[in-house]
Amino acid sequence: MNDQVRLGIVGYGTQGSTYARFISEGMVPSMVVGAVADIDPARRQLAADALPGVPVHESFEALLSSGQVDAVITTVPHYLHPEMGIAALEAGIHALVEKPAGVYTQQVAELNRVAASKPDVVFAIMFNQRNNPLYRRLKEIVDAGEIGAIRRTNWIITNWWRPQGYYDQSEWRATWGGEGGGVLVNQAPHQLDLWQWICGVPKSVYAKVAYGFRRDIAVEDEVTAVVDYGDGATGVFVTATHDLVGTDRFEILGDQGKIVVEGSRTATVTRLVKPEQQLSAEMSTDEVRRMFMGQFDASTLQTTEVIEFESAWGGQHSGVLENFAQAILHGTELLAPGADGMHGVRLANAIHLSSWTGREVPLDFDETEYLTALNERIADEGKFPARA
Amino acid sequence: MNDQVRLGIVGYGTQGSTYARFISEGMVPSMVVGAVADIDPARRQLAADALPGVPVHESFEALLSSGQVDAVITTVPHYLHPEMGIAALEAGIHALVEKPAGVYTQQVAELNRVAASKPDVVFAIMFNQRNNPLYRRLKEIVDAGEIGAIRRTNWIITNWWRPQGYYDQSEWRATWGGEGGGVLVNQAPHQLDLWQWICGVPKSVYAKVAYGFRRDIAVEDEVTAVVDYGDGATGVFVTATHDLVGTDRFEILGDQGKIVVEGSRTATVTRLVKPEQQLSAEMSTDEVRRMFMGQFDASTLQTTEVIEFESAWGGQHSGVLENFAQAILHGTELLAPGADGMHGVRLANAIHLSSWTGREVPLDFDETEYLTALNERIADEGKFPARA
């Protein structure tokens, strides 16, 4: 291999063409575009026009066997991510899969099994939000125990308004058979990942999910999920695509502090001088009395830091591409190892399953029960084949 | 009756003595303190010292039959609110009960039945937050349909940190038999009332509740409840007494707008120019495309108003007292009719019951099932008699 990784871009739609532009414009120093593949002639023409000298293929298979690429990125409908990832890895081609890693856990498990059997081939996932310096810093703070053990989390993420025209753009969009879900598999996977990346993987979930609630679609456009981390710690995740005003507010309460993130841009981190239970136990009766008379100054018990980063648009994605290239070239540690894609898929599946059954669902739910229920919905649609 | 209502204050603790002070200081023009009752000699002495010339009784019954009061307020442990309210109303004495109206629904239903049979006797409840001008204004906005039908609500209210010493103050505090619950019956009743007053009464609830989670108490100190309003509309309510930093954030999403309240002080009200689904339907493919290129300006589709009120401390409580007096003297409409106390008690009971059974619980749950489960907890404590 040269000193630059030759990337094959599979699918030259909005994302694929954007990545090509990042690379062409030098935002990803360790990468060149080796080739492009798209099944749509119009898109192939767009690629040929935009990327002079870059081979453009009619199929993924042709690209894979061309000898023109060292790695691929799969900007294709979600169901295809695992099968293309598997094909690439088996051909010894490094694979960066788009999010979500897949639609249901079995196909992601198979992808992860193949990847594990190919330790020399790099497998990553486009969780570009992990490259948001704010979330990276917050993960450091939580991992270092600076706010203590996590007791409660709450994320409301509704700032991706999607009008009906968005859903009507293509036949597969917002269908069970074509896309495999709604806001959980399309818009929210980054947050489903960050939430678990920073706060840990829950043990169970109970969810209220509305399907085709405010849009004429089969899949979910509104989700409220309550998770249980065990030992009394809980979390809430709310997402929707019909809130034109939009909220992005993430709160993490720990034993010894708290983090409140507004708009994925500003985090207010409060650190208590001692664990909260210790402060509680040490407070005298007289202090309690003074507290109720408004004479208690909690500011001596805590410090507050406001963290804010300006993040250039595209910097997150190009950073993940560069990190992927560096991992291939120099063995650099991955920001988002491909196998991590399982967490978000598993949680999204569990949320669906809870809403379908009315039950609290463990994160190690019966995967066959989920796939059977998904296939029932695909059969009801009558437009796409069942999945196995 | 004179031109001033003679109020009997039952229980001369923190609240009772505060109300007496408000009245003595002229904050409640249509009221005087007619008499005080407390079973505790030390508190009777405090009352006698603070209120020269005001008769002080050893019992509620003595106060009620003294002929010295036209009305009473019950600042006593929660279980006693209904029985004292009933005794007052049956004696023809107007009753302002403290929140919560009671601990379990049957006793509140009995109170409401007696009150309904006494249409000439005024029955109110101390929901002083209804007198917060911010929440009154928000209720007007919602009732007038200015943000359309409600689709989602979310209230995180955790800014009442209570150290262990608070719970250790008295034998009845934070017990099943003495207090009947924790944060739901003590701190959160105002929000359980406002939430339903403004957004409507839900049909069912699913809750995760932690009992003695971060404090050495029998009752709940952490609650996450998901409610279903029917027709796909949902809500989340989170409360806790162990968050030293504290959050008070209330969000209401409607079909045609949104309200976000921070700290019960500042509300940002966004009104859409048309119902959201209509804006969605009317958006052209070209506009959708431009939206994804960051060229869509949603500001033309909405207006934003920030509402803020400075509320003098004590003004809410004294306002409810004055409104109660005016209702007695002049038939003025009550801010908080006593019967409304049922909503909060019913929801708190349903939240407990959901957490005890692991089930989603309808708001018209089996009241006997609740009382039986409550009595089991009282029996386990072994300190207080069962309730019937």
Side-chain angles (χ1 to χ4, degrees), chain B residues 291-343:
Chain B
M291 185 176 89
F292 275 86
M293 295 171 72
Q295 296 166 3
F296 169 67
D297 181 8
S299 69
T300 59
L301 306 181
Q302 62 195 44
T303 60
T304 302
E305 178 190 9
V306 176
I307 302 175
E308 198 161 22
F309 288 95
E310 274 301 336
S311 188
W313 187 78
Q316 287 174 17
H317 292 88
S318 58
V320 171
L321 290 168
E322 179 65 17
N323 168 256
F324 177 55
Q326 296 271 351
I328 294 167
L329 296 170
H330 313 298
T332 304
E333 193 182 353
L334 287 168
L335 272 170
D340 284 10
M342 178 60 101
H343 297 303

Side-chain angles (χ1 to χ4, degrees), chain A residues 88-166:
Chain A
L89 292 167
E90 286 184 336
I93 304 284
H94 309 286
L96 175 57
V97 296
E98 260 297 336
K99 56 85 201 170
V103 170
Y104 54 99
T105 52
Q106 288 103 320
Q107 60 169 186
V108 179
E110 179 61 21
L111 170 61
N112 287 357
R113 266 192 300 275
V114 171
S117 74
K118 303 278 180 184
D120 297 334
V121 189
V122 177
F123 170 43
I125 183 164
M126 181 51 90
F127 281 144
N128 52 283
Q129 289 273 344
R130 286 198 187 184
N131 205 24
N132 178 330
L134 182 65
Y135 286 116
R136 290 173 69 172
R137 179 74 190 108
L138 297 182
K139 180 170 169 60
E140 284 173 7
I141 289 170
V142 170
D143 285 354
E146 293 180 33
I147 66 163
I150 289 175
R151 299 303 174 190
R152 191 163 45 68
T153 70
N154 194 299
W155 202 335
I156 306 178
I157 173 77
T158 61
N159 61 352
W160 29 53
W161 186 70
R162 294 290 181 271
Q164 188 62 41
Y166 163 78

Side-chain angles (χ1 to χ4, degrees), chain B residues 186-251:
Chain B
N186 191 313
Q187 287 79 29
H190 290 297
Q191 285 72 25
L192 290 180
D193 175 62
L194 290 175
W195 188 29
Q196 297 180 92
W197 189 52
I198 296 171
C199 302
V201 175
K203 295 204 182 327
S204 64
V205 63
Y206 176 90
K208 285 273 177 190
V209 180
Y211 299 91
F213 177 42
R214 310 301 298 159
R215 293 294 178 270
D216 182 19
I217 54 175
V219 296
E220 77 282 356
D221 51 357
E222 162 108 10
V223 173
T224 299
V226 181
V227 300
D228 191 328
Y229 297 101
D231 298 324
T234 55
V236 174
F237 189 86
V238 171
T239 190
T241 59
H242 57 85
D243 181 357
L244 186 51
V245 183
T247 293
D248 177 5
R249 187 181 182 283
F250 181 23
E251 169 170 327

